[in-house]
Amino acid sequence: MRGHLNMIILEIIKERPRHGYDVIKAIEERFHGFYSPSAGSVYPILQALEDRDFVRSSEESGKKIYSITTDGEQELKANNDKFSDMREHLRHRFGDMGRYSELVREMGYMTHFVFGKLRESTSDTETIRKLRIAIANFKSEVEEILR
């Protein structure tokens, strides 16, 4: 995936100019929440694409907005065959996952909630034990549903 992320980012920016966080969210949507690149991956790629004159940036409301250049469009065309193969592979792998997007979103909300609460407080051993039991019970319930 990492080797193709620059082309995915370029294609997303071709759709419309975007800032870095918007690029991350667009990728997350394409993968129905099953993949979300880190800012530590996306921002260096955006800088490298700009250094290669595939995108240009401008300032808008204090945010750096990236738009594709003619060279960037030519790069996408030059890699179209390779990119088409990758797109087909990803479509095959993640194509029907969209129907699970609400489930993935709920699981993400729960994860953020739990770890947010744990960061806010000094969780004692008893709290952690109760959470482990709750997670084990949840897992058992899910296994029962999916049998």
Side-chain angles (χ1 to χ4, degrees), residues 29-61:
E29 284 176 21
R30 290 231 173 130
F31 289 91
H32 308 292
F34 287 93
Y35 173 68
S36 179
S38 68
S41 295
V42 170
Y43 286 101
I45 290 172
L46 286 168
Q47 184 59 56
L49 291 172
E50 188 171 22
D51 291 346
R52 295 179 68 192
D53 294 322
F54 294 158
V55 299
R56 85 174 56 83
S57 66
S58 59
E59 194 82 16
E60 190 176 301
S61 302

Side-chain angles (χ1 to χ4, degrees), residues 1-146:
M1 174 59 87
R2 190 161 173 78
H4 297 294
L5 191 53
N6 55 346
M7 288 294 121
I8 292 169
I9 290 171
L10 205 51
E11 184 175 61
I12 285 171
I13 292 172
K14 183 180 178 184
E15 293 171 359
R16 66 179 167 85
R18 299 173 187 262
H19 55 80
Y21 180 74
D22 193 27
V23 168
I24 293 169
K25 288 296 157 196
I27 293 170
E28 199 173 272
E29 284 176 21
R30 290 231 173 130
F31 289 91
H32 308 292
F34 287 93
Y35 173 68
S36 179
S38 68
S41 295
V42 170
Y43 286 101
I45 290 172
L46 286 168
Q47 184 59 56
L49 291 172
E50 188 171 22
D51 291 346
R52 295 179 68 192
D53 294 322
F54 294 158
V55 299
R56 85 174 56 83
S57 66
S58 59
E59 194 82 16
E60 190 176 301
S61 302
K63 294 180 182 178
K64 209 171 187 182
I65 305 292
Y66 296 90
S67 54
I68 195 164
T69 63
T70 304
D71 288 348
E73 289 181 6
Q74 288 174 350
E75 180 70 6
L76 278 175
K77 283 180 188 172
N79 288 288
N80 190 42
D81 289 343
K82 185 173 25 170
F83 200 49
S84 292
D85 292 343
M86 180 201 62
R87 207 181 287 119
E88 186 57 36
H89 170 74
L90 294 175
R91 190 174 294 120
H92 174 72
R93 184 153 183 196
F94 292 99
D96 65 343
M97 295 304 220
R99 62 187 169 151
Y100 306 121
S101 60
E102 288 182 28
L103 181 60
V104 171
R105 192 172 15 263
E106 287 298 325
M107 290 179 0
Y109 291 154
M110 180 55 72
T111 301
H112 288 294
F113 172 77
V114 169
F115 288 111
K117 289 294 185 181
L118 290 174
R119 271 193 307 273
E120 289 175 8
S121 65
T122 54
S123 300
D124 57 22
T125 307
E126 182 61 15
T127 301
I128 300 299
R129 186 186 72 75
K130 287 179 181 178
L131 284 170
R132 290 185 69 208
I133 291 169
I135 291 169
N137 290 338
F138 171 73
K139 181 179 178 270
S140 293
E141 287 181 37
V142 169
E143 286 171 345
E144 189 63 34
I145 292 168
L146 294 176

